[in-house]
Amino acid sequence: MSSLLVVGSVAFDTLHMPSGSFEKVLGGSATYGSLAASHFAPVRLVGVVGRDYPDSAIERFRAHGVDTSGLEVDATGDTFHWEGRYSEDLGSRTSLRTDLNVFATFNPKIPAGFRDTPFVLLGNIHPALQLEVLRQVVKPKLVVADTMNFWIGGERAALEKTLAEVDLLVVNDEEARQLSGVNNLVKAARGLMTLGPRIVVIKKGEHGAVLFEGDEIFSAPAYPTGEVVDPTGAGDTFAGGLLGYIASQNDLGNATLRRAVVYGSALASFCVEGIGIDRLAMVKRAEITERYAAFRSLVHFASEAEVAG
Amino acid sequence: MSSLLVVGSVAFDTLHMPSGSFEKVLGGSATYGSLAASHFAPVRLVGVVGRDYPDSAIERFRAHGVDTSGLEVDATGDTFHWEGRYSEDLGSRTSLRTDLNVFATFNPKIPAGFRDTPFVLLGNIHPALQLEVLRQVVKPKLVVADTMNFWIGGERAALEKTLAEVDLLVVNDEEARQLSGVNNLVKAARGLMTLGPRIVVIKKGEHGAVLFEGDEIFSAPAYPTGEVVDPTGAGDTFAGGLLGYIASQNDLGNATLRRAVVYGSALASFCVEGIGIDRLAMVKRAEITERYAAFRSLVHFASEAEVAG
């Protein structure tokens, strides 16, 4: 079992859901990513919070085996606060507030003891900051990066610089199309590979995820649930679960990557069942095992030989 | 092995593709559906064509084991002719012409020898005509119906009457949402089941298809191809391949239905590789077997027990 480094945003989210409003729940890409990964492997968290961030929240990370010594507390301001409203069917959301606060000047410092972490998850932050992290780590085995339309549109040059040093890129389907300029997702993935990453995982929300590595393609469904409560953080959870599992196996074979995509999908399916991190943080290993098995059933069909036999 | 009855439109399609224009190629829901099904089981085709429909095309059906004695030739007019233009990325299309011609007065007559066909595919035609077919067949084992947004929006009452007598409904994701009034696809499928069908298959194009039967859910990916030439008829091909396989097995177990979804997906993946029916009609059994195996590889991941073992 290896450990992984998770760098990204640590935030408060105020969520207006059809089921009600939830003030300043724990959020941010590194929060979801590190809690998801912590189900599989020891996590080293790097991020910044403000003077208003409660010790109890930091304690919560620690209780999940997350090393928070890289979580900077900047007493000059408040924690990043995002507020948004979801549509009735949870299919879209509108940002009402994005107070970056101390995150505006975040400059990730990787503690000396974290620099040789073999697995690195660059959460969805400015690509220049992602590159800053890579300048500080020493020969990681696998660098996974997430990004979003905001950077693809506005910080293309910086993003391309970062991508050149990324091994595995996680993007959603719209971002894959935007970044590659190609509509067909297979061609889009091939295009993204020319930018650097040798592995590309395209997240498709309710339609699952697709893994591309060389000529290998693996298609994973989403867990079919009628009970989505809050989609916030599902993508970050997917990436965290994915890399957490890879770190736990300390293996980069395609078979491991395939299982990692399923574990990431499984954790994302739990994440959306609760508000914020509520369900994700509480999920038991036995539940993950059960859901992993459910993914197997979901895609199972007999081979021609089995039918003939 | 049982035979299946396919009822639907038989048409000429004039296709304006990024790769060029193709005048009056063979098309229509029953054409794609019956050719797809013919790879697995004997097909009985019911439809109407006009005086301009060439004998060579009818001969082509026969060469595929399709019984064309229910294909009416109406010498009072021309064959249904649809013309459309696809977008550069093939993601959308615009209808330029819909000349119903002899199809405008189509009233399906099921030949006496066809009335006891155990498996019935109601292609995408007016729901009142679909019901007409059901009034003429005798205790089919399984009735499969396809429909589209046009009937959902404009002929809701007729459609509901038909659905009450359908066993397996095939719709795409937008249609499932429109017909059920629910955005979440799992809930949408459950909603559709209350309208009659005990089995629902939701087609999601590049995202695959999902089968719902009771509490069983099966998720099949689409074949990941960068080489889509012409998406016309892919949905009809899927339905034809699905029911053709079921008829070949003469079995309605969930395991058979799962495999049927994969065979339908496999044939649809061939269909889009050529203009019109070109690739679909030419595909060899060995190619279908190979692609079926590719679908298995595409979704394969080890169980926890296999990994631990």
Side-chain angles (χ1 to χ4, degrees), chain B residues 124-200:
Chain B
N124 173 23
I125 54 177
H126 193 297
L129 297 186
Q130 293 179 322
L131 198 59
E132 266 309 302
V133 173
L134 295 183
R135 290 283 162 273
Q136 298 174 60
V137 295
V138 182
K139 292 189 182 169
K141 280 189 176 176
L142 191 78
V143 174
V144 175
D146 198 351
T147 193
M148 69 184 295
N149 47 10
F150 187 71
W151 310 122
I152 297 170
E155 294 290 346
R156 178 94 194 190
L159 181 58
E160 290 195 357
K161 247 176 145 168
T162 302
L163 288 179
E165 301 189 28
V166 164
D167 301 301
L168 190 161
L169 175 66
V170 179
V171 280
N172 73 29
D173 44 357
E174 278 176 48
E175 291 155 1
R177 291 182 167 118
Q178 185 188 359
L179 186 49
S180 67
V182 179
N183 189 59
N184 178 290
L185 283 183
V186 179
K187 286 184 180 170
R190 305 265 178 252
L192 296 182
M193 285 173 173
T194 66
L195 299 177
R198 67 177 184 82
I199 308 165
V200 171

Side-chain angles (χ1 to χ4, degrees), chain A residues 228-253:
Chain A
V228 176
V229 170
D230 173 14
T232 310
D236 306 312
T237 297
F238 173 84
L242 176 122
L243 190 58
Y245 180 74
I246 292 171
S248 77
Q249 302 298 298
N250 196 16
D251 177 69
L252 297 176

Side-chain angles (χ1 to χ4, degrees), chain A residues 25-48:
Chain A
V25 302
L26 302 185
S29 63
T31 300
Y32 284 101
S34 61
L35 288 176
S38 74
H39 288 291
F40 301 110
V43 176
R44 296 162 168 183
L45 172 63
V46 169
V48 65

Side-chain angles (χ1 to χ4, degrees), chain A residues 166-180:
Chain A
V166 164
D167 300 302
L168 189 161
L169 175 65
V170 179
V171 281
N172 73 30
D173 44 357
E174 279 177 47
E175 292 155 0
R177 292 183 166 118
Q178 185 187 0
L179 186 49
S180 67

Side-chain angles (χ1 to χ4, degrees), chain A residues 7 32 41-42 59 88 93 98 146 148 159 195 260 272 297 300:
Chain A
V7 187
Y32 284 101
E59 205 40 64
E88 196 59 37
R93 68 183 194 186
T98 304
D146 198 350
M148 69 185 294
L159 181 57
L195 299 177
V272 303
S297 304
H300 178 76

